[in-house]
Amino acid sequence: MKRHLPAKILLTLLILTGILSGCELTQTAAKGDPIILVHGFLGWGRDEVGGFAGHYYWGGWNDLQKILNDEGYETHTGVVGPFSSNWDRACELYAQLMGTKTDYGIAHSTKHNHDRYGRDFTGKALLQDESGNPDWGKDGSHKKVNLIAHSQGGHTVRILAQLMEQGSAEERQAVYPADEPVSPLFSAGSGTKNMIRSITTMTSTHNGTSLANGVLKLVPIIEDILVSMIAILGIDENETVFDNFYDFKLQQFGLKSKQEGESLK
């Protein structure tokens, strides 16, 4: 790859997100709010699909996150469920940024028949201070973020932004146990407001798509293919394939690799 390509990608993204704010592309301008990349439907994390020797969702054979970080722009990749609803994906992204356990809410999880809690990102927040503590929204370089999303990721970040500003009336009205109160994401409190600098979406169907009509006819076929893929990857008891090559991230529905002593029937 020619050396000037990363700079072109970088310049385009920065203009779209408004980071430059009329400034020239210099190293002093590189100390702005961090960039969070959010993948779309069927997407994957940087350590999946062959890992660092494989194919990146963001950048193909090149690691866009590394390119941006090397240029001085703090960048992180959010990893959410490739087949999950936008609500679930928004909750997962929030948990990653805040360094908490994913909470889908009692009302939502009851309605859709899955667990209230998902993956735990405690101690693994995407945004941390020098001591390793989560610091998104706090004074400093991580007070606000720029969200760059592709395809379904655009819908995901819009729901995240709405929940952070308005919360969820349905969740606030639900009955929660005293020791497990409603998540701050749903409470519409001051602790989640004004924490997003910008949202940039690419090829996101914000106005809907006629493709959905045709896709509905393929749902039975897609379901069969998906179940077969899950079954094959789920055979791996050590989870080296299931988690490291492609993780469906549907733990809230009880989807896990084959457990010790479990038959294939």
Side-chain angles (χ1 to χ4, degrees):
M1 173 179 288
K2 295 181 179 180
R3 181 63 185 85
H4 64 266
L5 181 57
K8 287 184 177 180
I9 297 175
L10 176 64
L11 179 59
T12 301
L13 291 175
L14 294 179
I15 290 175
L16 289 173
T17 56
I19 295 176
L20 293 181
S21 300
C23 299
E24 295 181 357
L25 182 58
T26 64
Q27 285 302 310
T28 56
K31 307 303 179 182
D33 304 308
I35 297 171
I36 308 298
L37 304 173
V38 184
H39 66 72
F41 181 62
L42 300 179
W44 59 89
R46 292 176 69 240
D47 58 348
E48 297 179 74
V49 190
F52 297 106
H55 192 79
Y56 295 97
Y57 185 91
W58 291 95
W61 301 116
N62 303 284
D63 186 354
L64 182 57
Q65 174 177 309
K66 184 178 185 303
I67 291 171
L68 291 172
N69 278 311
D70 288 348
E71 293 287 345
Y73 294 85
E74 181 180 355
T75 304
H76 304 272
T77 302
V79 184
V80 294
F83 296 94
S84 298
S85 68
N86 284 310
W87 176 286
D88 286 4
R89 288 161 57 98
C91 294
E92 292 162 4
L93 182 58
Y94 174 78
Q96 289 176 67
L97 289 167
M98 296 298 292
T100 62
K101 190 172 186 178
T102 304
D103 186 348
Y104 301 111
I106 282 183
H108 175 85
S109 58
T110 300
K111 180 179 180 180
H112 296 281
N113 194 31
H114 65 65
D115 294 341
R116 173 185 172 183
Y117 294 107
R119 290 179 295 157
D120 192 349
F121 298 97
T122 302
K124 298 178 287 186
L126 290 181
L127 302 177
Q128 302 178 7
D129 60 21
E130 294 180 355
S131 300
N133 300 312
D135 67 344
W136 183 30
K138 299 180 181 179
D139 290 336
S141 61
H142 294 157
K143 189 172 182 61
K144 296 185 180 184
V145 298
N146 295 287
L147 300 174
I148 299 181
H150 172 249
S151 190
Q152 187 187 354
H155 302 279
T156 299
V157 297
R158 287 180 62 185
I159 288 183
L160 173 63
Q162 179 175 334
L163 286 174
M164 293 185 68
E165 291 296 323
Q166 302 177 9
S168 168
E170 187 176 11
E171 291 297 338
R172 291 195 296 272
Q173 294 168 4
V175 179
Y176 277 80
D179 59 339
E180 296 181 335
V182 62
S183 167
L185 180 60
F186 310 133
S187 61
S190 59
T192 60
K193 295 182 183 296
N194 200 28
M195 294 167 62
I196 298 175
R197 176 74 66 187
S198 70
I199 291 178
T200 302
T201 67
M202 296 175 283
T203 65
S204 298
T205 56
H206 297 301
N207 294 321
T209 172
S210 58
L211 179 63
N213 298 325
V215 169
L216 290 176
K217 299 178 182 179
L218 298 176
V219 167
I221 299 175
I222 295 174
E223 287 181 342
D224 289 342
I225 295 175
L226 179 59
V227 170
S228 298
M229 291 172 59
I230 292 174
I232 293 173
L233 294 179
I235 292 175
D236 180 27
E237 295 182 8
N238 296 321
E239 301 186 354
T240 54
V241 175
F242 187 79
D243 285 342
N244 295 335
F245 184 78
Y246 193 87
D247 185 355
F248 288 85
K249 304 174 186 69
L250 292 171
Q251 288 86 349
Q252 68 270 34
F253 288 98
L255 178 63
K256 300 178 181 178
S257 298
K258 177 176 173 288
Q259 303 299 297
E260 184 177 356
E262 183 180 5
S263 71
L264 296 177
K265 296 181 179 180

